[in-house]
Amino acid sequence: MNLEVQIQSMIFSFVYGLFFSFLLNLNYRVLFTSKKYIQVIGNLFFIIDNVLLYFILLRYINNGVLHLYFLLLVALGFFAGNPTTKKIRFKKWFSSFRKNS
């Protein structure tokens, strides 16, 4: 794998970590405030969908070659984006969904 493809994969992994942080905080209601069986099914589909999406896009970028530093960049992107996207949980429109369930 040449250097350009590695840099593209690293940038993609970091941005995907930010995206995953956003989706996790957006999906917070299903993951933590529903009934137990909905939590389990919702969490299972959420993780499987995100892992499949990451590997499909990584396969498109670099033929599916996975290195440890790609996963570290996903984690770094997640932790960098989480303080910003955590505010989504407490938005006014989001709390209206919680009252209805």
Side-chain angles (χ1 to χ4, degrees), residues 18 21-22 24-25 77-87 89:
L18 295 171
S21 172
F22 173 75
L24 183 70
N25 285 309
F78 177 81
F79 289 121
N82 200 31
T84 305
T85 59
K86 191 186 296 186
K87 297 172 186 170
R89 297 181 193 175

Side-chain angles (χ1 to χ4, degrees), residues 32-74:
F32 297 109
T33 60
S34 300
K35 297 176 183 172
K36 279 288 186 197
Y37 65 91
I38 294 175
Q39 286 179 356
V40 171
I41 293 171
N43 196 10
L44 181 69
F45 283 127
F46 178 75
I47 296 299
I48 289 173
D49 288 345
N50 278 293
V51 169
L52 284 175
L53 180 63
Y54 178 72
F55 285 121
I56 288 170
L57 293 175
L58 196 63
R59 185 172 180 191
Y60 177 74
I61 293 172
N62 68 0
N63 295 324
V65 178
L66 183 66
H67 293 284
L68 180 63
Y69 51 86
F70 294 159
L71 297 177
L72 291 175
L73 281 167
V74 170

